[in-house]
Amino acid sequence: MPAFRNGVHRAAGAGAFGDSLSDGDAATYDDVRPEYPPQVVELAGAAPLNVLDVGAGTGKLTAALVAAGHRVTAVDPGAEMLAALARVCPSAARVRAMAEATGLADGSFDAITCAQTWHWVDVPAASAEFARLLRPGGRVVLTWNTLDVRVPWVHRLTRIMHAGDVQKPGFIPDVAAPLHIVDELRTEWEQPLTPGRIIELARTRSYWLRSSPATREKVEANLRWYLHDHLGFAPGDLVALPYRSDSFVVSAD
């Protein structure tokens, strides 16, 4: 899990995806961030269910849940993220709120999903909120798409782009009572991207979004050197970017 010095440090990182995010930043995020494997969507349960997608962002997982036949409510604190989600997935209800305090009714949902988000939350507060929102027998699915740093060149790539949400292989997220992990799913796959699209992927990271123009240019120059001069990729090459998906089924029962 990403290491934060304290709650202020965590909130500062998460804030990169909040009100300061531009419409263009949100569009880039939706364009280059990968989808989730179908097995992850299946962890929510058999449709149709009332599903709450917390930290929904631009709807990368939300749209897949809707396509599977679920009734989905998407929660995110970022106005631009929710605006992008509305374009991608107009049928999903949208609520602007934090994971720790959604303002939604007790026992409203059969399942809650949380993709690329749980490492940003206050774990005890969010665990209590999720338990409050779940119906009896409901479940939470925590999931991450993670660049596979077991591959040496990918590990160096993540260091250059300052990808702070890279999870270590075999990691297990923290949850707080009354939540507890009951199952896990780990999958491996690849996303084909050109070098230019990999640089765009770096622009969706919290580090880049919070950085000055000079720092952003330095990161991009280092990536251009690494991808073209060091690894030898041509601009139009499709690079098979290795990913892991690590998912956890969580219960409050």
Side-chain angles (χ1 to χ4, degrees):
M1 297 289 288
F4 299 110
R5 295 187 296 273
N6 49 44
V8 173
H9 185 207
R10 182 184 65 242
F17 302 104
D19 289 344
S20 62
L21 196 74
S22 72
D23 183 66
D25 292 332
T28 298
Y29 186 104
D30 187 65
D31 197 32
V32 298
R33 286 286 182 122
E35 311 294 336
Y36 292 88
Q39 305 97 306
V40 173
V41 179
E42 292 167 4
L43 291 177
L49 299 174
N50 288 333
V51 180
L52 182 67
D53 190 21
V54 176
T58 63
K60 304 300 291 190
L61 183 57
T62 314
L65 291 165
V66 169
H70 296 297
R71 299 176 293 270
V72 184
T73 299
V75 168
D76 198 273
E80 290 299 339
M81 286 293 198
L82 287 176
L85 186 147
R87 294 189 290 271
V88 172
C89 193
S91 65
R94 297 176 300 281
V95 177
R96 190 178 179 191
M98 304 290 289
E100 298 86 349
T102 63
L104 298 168
D106 292 2
S108 300
F109 298 97
D110 303 297
I112 301 173
T113 56
C114 199
Q116 306 298 124
T117 299
W118 190 251
H119 56 282
W120 295 120
V121 309
D122 179 305
V123 169
S127 296
E129 178 72 350
F130 284 17
R132 182 185 70 78
L133 293 168
L134 281 176
R135 291 172 177 165
R139 63 176 61 184
V140 174
V141 178
L142 308 178
T143 189
W144 285 264
N145 283 336
T146 301
L147 288 165
D148 195 345
V149 294
R150 294 172 298 182
V151 181
W153 76 265
V154 177
H155 183 263
R156 188 171 182 184
L157 176 72
T158 64
R159 298 295 296 271
I160 295 171
M161 66 169 57
H162 295 265
D165 61 348
V166 171
Q167 318 296 339
K168 293 182 179 179
F171 86 101
I172 297 176
D174 292 331
V175 297
L179 299 187
H180 57 279
I181 296 171
V182 296
D183 200 4
E184 65 180 50
L185 172 70
R186 301 183 190 269
T187 60
E188 300 174 11
W189 47 279
E190 294 178 339
Q191 181 189 25
L193 291 175
T194 63
R197 302 276 280 172
I198 292 174
I199 292 172
E200 289 183 354
L201 182 64
R203 295 173 186 158
T204 71
R205 301 293 175 178
S206 172
Y207 178 85
W208 192 91
L209 290 168
R210 292 183 291 117
S211 293
S212 68
T215 299
R216 291 179 177 186
E217 176 52 36
K218 181 179 179 181
V219 169
E220 294 188 14
N222 288 340
L223 285 170
R224 288 192 293 270
W225 170 84
Y226 184 59
L227 292 165
H228 297 303
D229 299 335
H230 185 73
L231 294 177
F233 293 120
D237 287 346
L238 278 181
V239 182
L241 196 57
Y243 272 91
R244 304 186 339 262
S245 286
D246 298 286
S247 305
F248 306 86
V249 179
V250 179
S251 174
D253 297 332

